[in-house]
Structures are given as C-alpha cells and as structure tokens.
Amino acid sequence: MEAENTEGETSLKNQFQIAYNGLQFSGDDSNSVEYSLKDITKKAVLKSYEESSNSITLNFDSDISITFAVSDEGESAPLMITGEFPEEINSVSIVTKPLSGYSFTDIKAKQALLEGRSSSYALLAPMLQESRLVLLQNSKFASYRSYVKQAGFSIDTAAELAGSTKVEMQSSVNTLNAAIISEFTRLAQNDASFANTVTEQTVISYTAAMSSAGRYNEALNTVPVSFIKGTKRTYLSTPYFGNLAKLSQGLEVQMENYKSMISHAVQNSLCDVFTADRIAEYFLINEKSSEVMRILSIPASLTDNNFTVAQAAGILRVYSYLKSAGSENADRLEPVLEPCVKKISDACKLDNNKIRLTENDSNLSVVNAVTAGDAFIQYGKISGYANLEKCGYLIVNSYISDLTGLDLRTMCDIYPVIVHNNPYYPHFAKVTDLDGTTIWSWTIARDIKITQDENKTMFIDIDFPLGLTHYVIIVGINPFRRIQIYNMDFRTDPQFEIYNSSGYVYRSGMRGLLLKSRHKSQHEIIKLYYRDLAL
C-alpha cells in the first residue's frame, strides 16, 4: 500500500501489492481492479484497507471489497480470497501473477498450478482469465493452497489409500442415513415452508432410510400430510402412501417414456439413455425386446468410444446389474467396459489422498461423481477386479465422508445411487416369466415370488414385515375369475385403500394388480383363480 501527501493531507494511492507463497495480487492506475456492470467494464479505485494478524481487506469504491485471509500463521496455510460487492455488479477481477522464480505450469478455466523450485501450489477460482482472477456474483470465493504433485492417476495406487475399504464406505453410508433422518426431522419441525417445498425424492430417501432403521411406521407418520395428500406425488411414492388407482397411470406413462427414449437412442446411436434413472431395471424387465437388445449393442458399434463420464458410469452400472441378474444381454456391453473404466479413470485426480473428478475443466457435481464411484464398485464386484472396487469406495468416500455443505436435497439424491441393499427403497423387480409373459412389480417388498399349480391357480407370495402395510403394483397379470387374500374371497372395491385391511383393484389396460397389502404374516399369500374349482 502506498500513501501520498496532498496539501498537507495523506491519502491512499490507488496502488497495492499482496504476495503469498510465490503468487502476487496487485493493482495500480494502469492495471487496476476491474468490475463488470451491465456488460460495461469499469476500474475500481482503492479507498482504504483493514489489516489484522491473519487477513487484509481492500476497500474500493462502488462498495467493492476483497479480503485475503489465512487460517493460521503456518507457512502452508491456505489463502482464501473473498469478494463482497453489490448485486448489480456481475464480476470483479484482480491482476494475479507469479513472482520471480515461480511459474504457472497448468492454467485452465477455473484452476491453475504454480510451481517453484521446491514447492507447488494450486489456485482455484470461479474464473481465471488473461492474468486475472475473477470473482463472480454467484461465486465470490477463491483459494490458493499448497499442492502435492501426484504421478498420473492409478487405480492400483488409489486402492491402497485410506478410504478405499468397504468398511469405510459403510461408515459413510451410515453417516448419510443419519444425516438425512436428522435434517428431515429438523426441517419438518422448524421450517414452516418445508411441507410445501419438500420434493418427492427427499421424502422417498427419508422414508427408506427410516425404514431400514426399523422405523417404517414412524417415517410414514412424520411425512407432512400436505405432501401425502397433495399434487406433487407420483407413482414413485405409491409403495408407501398408496393412491394406486390414480397414480399407477403415471407408471404406464413412464414405461412408455422409457420405450420412446430407447427408440430415439437406437435411431440416433446415442448413449445418454444409459444415464436414465432405473434404466437397468427396465432393461431386465424387457430383456426379450428387440429394441432393448439393439440399444445395448449401440455402445460397441461406435468407433470412437467417446463417452462422457456419466455415460461411461451408466454403461458400467447397467452391465453390472444385468450380469448379476444373469441376463445374457449384459454381454453386449463387454467390448466397451474397459474404455468406460478408462474414461472415468482419466477424469480422476488425487488431491491430498482424496479423488476428485473433472470433465472439460469443470468439477463434476457430487451426485455425478458419486455415481461414477458406484460404477467402479459395482463393476469391480461383478468382474472380480478388487482394486477397481476399492477405488470406487475411495471416490464415494472422497465426496460423502464429510457431509458439510451438502443440503438435504443433495443427500437424498445421493442415497439411491449408493444404497443397493435396502428393499424399502421403491424399485422395479422382475418376478418371473410365466406362459411367455414377464411379470414384474413396483414395490418395497423384500421379495415377491409367483408359482402356479396344475389348475393354473397363481400363488403370489409377498415378503414384508408382520403388521406393516404397503402398496404393490404387479404388472403382467391376466384377468382372473376369483381372488383370495388371507384365504378369504375378496371383491374389488374402488375404496379399498381406506379400509384397515388388504384389498385390490385390477386394471385390465395395463394387466395390473393394484394391491394394498396389510401383513398378518410375514409372507402374505394372494391366490388368483383362473378356473372354476369346487369350494
């Protein structure tokens, strides 16, 4: 900082230099701090500064301030750069250059590496542009910290690091479960707007997490009533809250959407379909479909294997799901499995023994990065590639071992990506192939089995905890003459859901049995009669 004396008064010159570990931030009349206001670039004038033991704040005109702060006095303490400026200002930039003996070795849109003779540092910012660090209205923070150079990323090396074990992964999942339950409960009790803003995905993840902890009924009773009875619900939450007759139509629409999505992908040789929610389950249910077989062959037909990280992760997850289910269609993806592994691996960077994923110079979202980690876990398991599985654990743990900064919605989006062993999470389940027809369900049951005797009587065995009630949609059921629940004849009733008992409606258009199942035993048996038999 420099001052000048004008007519007996001392005023601050519009000039400053701040240097830290080889990097200098500076400004003067020729290269001043600049700001963008309505697409017009203007120069900011330094007016004052405030200094403490670990920070200095520069105050400019137009209500702009920039603070440089370190957490402690250690030589390797990270430097945080924080801007404050009015909403009408789009961005503020400051000249940022290496000192003598240091140089930038890798400059990208949002990050740069600075190297000296014996040390390296990483500069992370909302934008780096023409020797300037740029702070944005929606992102006013940058950091500069020591950087431990790593050799090229190696799956085998990552597999040896802390955080790469199944035990550590389970610990992170347990923490996620607890955080979802705690935060949902806090918001439901203290935030008056929560009932109107909560998403269906958030409700589903919360209910599934509570149910896995043995708190199923408590979960149902603590979801806002306005959500349960409101218009935001779809077929997704029907296994918990019912309204099957109305919302099952959304399931029919979703299945048609999958069909159209696949047809479009086949016609245009696209792979985005592999990133769709629950697409692997759809592929299994419809494994005999010629269109499903064709789309599963598309990735191998492409000559460049130029997949995105999301597409590569989707392909690996679909393959692993189909392979574990014994579907021969999984083999159609085998030619591209290694290119998919390489695509994700190339996106990985080790940073202080944690893995971060980037694509096109931008960090992947937490959900997309965790999905890529899960792809490594699932494919590593099914292929016996132990180090790949461990690398997947490390990727996931790198993003969720510390949940600081993640809101409830993000945590609930992550939940179904990494939790595969909780049957209380709504899922498609292929039940059986019977008389040339695939029977499948949308359910939270632990298991559903269907058998048939010599009289064509169908026995549907539903496994769910004693005393609890849930709702099931079973598709592929032909019209029947008679139905028994609890070994008693039942008749269809449009009001079946309001009674304190099991009940059903049959929808011929989708060949769907819409069932409320209140379990008087763990295995509830539903009998469908297709022939007139003596009682």
Side-chain angles (χ1 to χ4, degrees), residues 20 27 58 79 107 146 151 187 224 270 285 313 344 361 363 365 373 380 427 431 486:
Y20 186 73
L58 307 180
L79 174 68
I107 302 178
S146 62
L187 291 173
L270 302 176
I285 290 169
I344 297 174
D361 295 336
N363 292 324
S365 70
H427 55 278
V431 180
Y486 310 139

Side-chain angles (χ1 to χ4, degrees), residues 48-69:
S48 65
Y49 69 93
E50 303 164 26
E51 190 172 9
S52 69
S53 59
N54 290 333
S55 70
I56 184 168
T57 298
L58 307 180
N59 299 311
F60 300 86
D61 61 356
S62 300
D63 291 328
I64 297 170
S65 66
I66 303 175
T67 298
F68 301 82

Side-chain angles (χ1 to χ4, degrees), residues 462-468 470 517-522 524:
I462 302 176
D463 183 354
F464 201 71
L466 172 67
L468 300 184
H470 64 115
S517 186
R518 182 175 181 271
H519 281 246
K520 294 183 178 180
S521 61
Q522 179 178 332
E524 205 64 77

Side-chain angles (χ1 to χ4, degrees), residues 33-47:
V33 167
E34 295 179 345
Y35 63 96
S36 174
L37 180 64
K38 296 181 179 179
D39 296 327
I40 299 175
T41 300
K42 298 186 176 184
K43 293 185 177 183
V45 178
L46 181 64
K47 293 296 185 181

Side-chain angles (χ1 to χ4, degrees), residues 298-329:
I298 288 293
S301 72
L302 303 177
T303 56
D304 55 6
N305 291 332
N306 189 27
F307 307 118
T308 65
V309 172
Q311 290 169 351
I315 290 169
L316 291 177
R317 297 177 88 219
V318 166
Y319 171 84
S320 302
Y321 182 86
L322 295 180
K323 195 71 174 178
S324 65
S327 174
E328 294 181 357
N329 279 341

Side-chain angles (χ1 to χ4, degrees), residues 483-490 520:
I483 182 172
Q484 283 193 336
I485 307 173
Y486 310 139
N487 287 318
M488 299 169 54
D489 283 356
F490 269 66
K520 294 183 178 180

